[in-house]
Amino acid sequence: SAALVRDDAVFGPTSPIRGARWRLEAGRTLGELAHGTLLVDARRYLYLRPVTLAVRGFHFGRYGANADVPQFAPLSLGDGMLVRGYRADTFSPADYTVDPTRPGVCPEQARLFGSRLAATSVELRLPLTGARGLSLVGRGPGLELAPFADAGVAWTGREGPEFSAGQLFERGALGRVPVVSAGVAARLNLRSIIVEAFWARPFQREGSGIFGLNLSPGW
């Protein structure tokens, strides 16, 4: 694999607050399960003292004849910090829609997995406490509030994404439509360990909201 990387981001107590980061990487695996990979990850941080407007675009995918073989675990939009509120283990039978063409398959979960992912996020980061000059209260552990919106789509070499304005916020859609969530996150710096607690409203599943926890600085 080979990558071209640029990173001039300036970090605050819990996440980057200024600058930009991007990575373009391509890889090739040889052998019986030969395939290629492509990663595009671009992030921009616009510092509007004291808040930061953060925007991200992301794509990762496996390509080639072996990209979708069962030996490879599928990629998931709900894992990590791509589209918050869609972790597969938080789904219940109330989220399921019956697909008569695929008995036993939950479309709400199936659309989160694939060999290729694309996602985008936007956050407005407000530092409440932390370093002097970078927060509203210049003392105490770093604490940041961040209203956010996430969106993403997963697909495979056999099933492409479906972009339909009528299905964008529709529950019960059966295809590989994009998933969207919005909510607010709170990040706390505990002796260099960043804990993020968030509430997300996922628009393609039942329920009023999902609480979650990540051990990671802001992207």
Side-chain angles (χ1 to χ4, degrees), residues 51 53 65 73 82 85 95 105 119 153 163 174-175 204 208:
V51 302
L53 179 64
L82 290 180
D95 294 295
V105 174
V153 63
F163 297 99
L174 301 181
Q204 278 76 28
S208 58

Side-chain angles (χ1 to χ4, degrees), residues 1-213:
S1 64
L4 183 63
V5 181
R6 177 172 177 174
D7 188 346
D8 62 4
V10 176
F11 270 76
T14 60
S15 61
I17 60 172
R18 181 186 308 186
R21 315 171 78 186
W22 56 263
R23 183 182 187 93
L24 176 62
E25 180 177 329
R28 180 68 178 172
T29 299
L30 304 177
E32 186 176 351
L33 298 178
H35 65 282
T37 58
L38 176 65
L39 170 66
V40 181
D41 190 351
R43 312 173 187 191
R44 182 73 173 91
Y45 312 106
L46 183 60
Y47 189 45
L48 307 170
R49 190 183 302 267
V51 302
T52 293
L53 179 64
V55 181
R56 173 181 63 176
F58 175 87
H59 168 67
F60 179 74
R62 294 191 295 260
Y63 292 88
N66 295 310
D68 297 296
V69 296
Q71 288 90 333
F72 294 134
L75 308 173
S76 174
L77 283 173
D79 290 340
M81 298 178 64
L82 290 180
V83 186
R84 283 160 283 193
Y86 286 93
R87 282 187 61 91
D89 59 5
T90 65
F91 280 69
S92 69
D95 294 295
Y96 298 168
T97 297
V98 177
D99 184 352
T101 65
R102 296 189 297 173
V105 174
C106 170
E108 285 78 7
Q109 281 188 318
R111 70 168 59 104
L112 302 176
F113 297 92
S115 56
R116 301 159 195 180
L117 306 177
T120 185
S121 299
V122 60
E123 285 190 353
L124 187 64
R125 297 171 176 171
L126 175 61
L128 299 181
T129 62
R132 180 175 299 177
L134 296 179
S135 59
L136 296 178
V137 179
R139 61 180 181 272
L143 175 62
E144 173 182 80
L145 291 182
F148 66 84
D150 298 336
V153 63
W155 70 100
T156 70
R158 296 183 295 270
E159 294 181 308
E162 300 178 17
F163 297 99
S164 171
Q167 292 183 318
L168 187 57
F169 295 101
E170 177 186 350
R171 293 184 184 139
L174 301 181
R176 287 188 170 274
V177 299
V179 294
V180 183
S181 67
V184 62
R187 298 188 187 99
L188 180 63
N189 187 326
L190 297 174
R191 296 185 179 272
S192 299
I193 298 175
I194 311 300
V195 180
E196 178 191 90
F198 67 85
W199 176 89
R201 173 70 169 87
F203 295 102
Q204 278 76 28
R205 58 180 296 186
E206 294 293 335
S208 58
I210 297 291
F211 288 96
L213 192 67

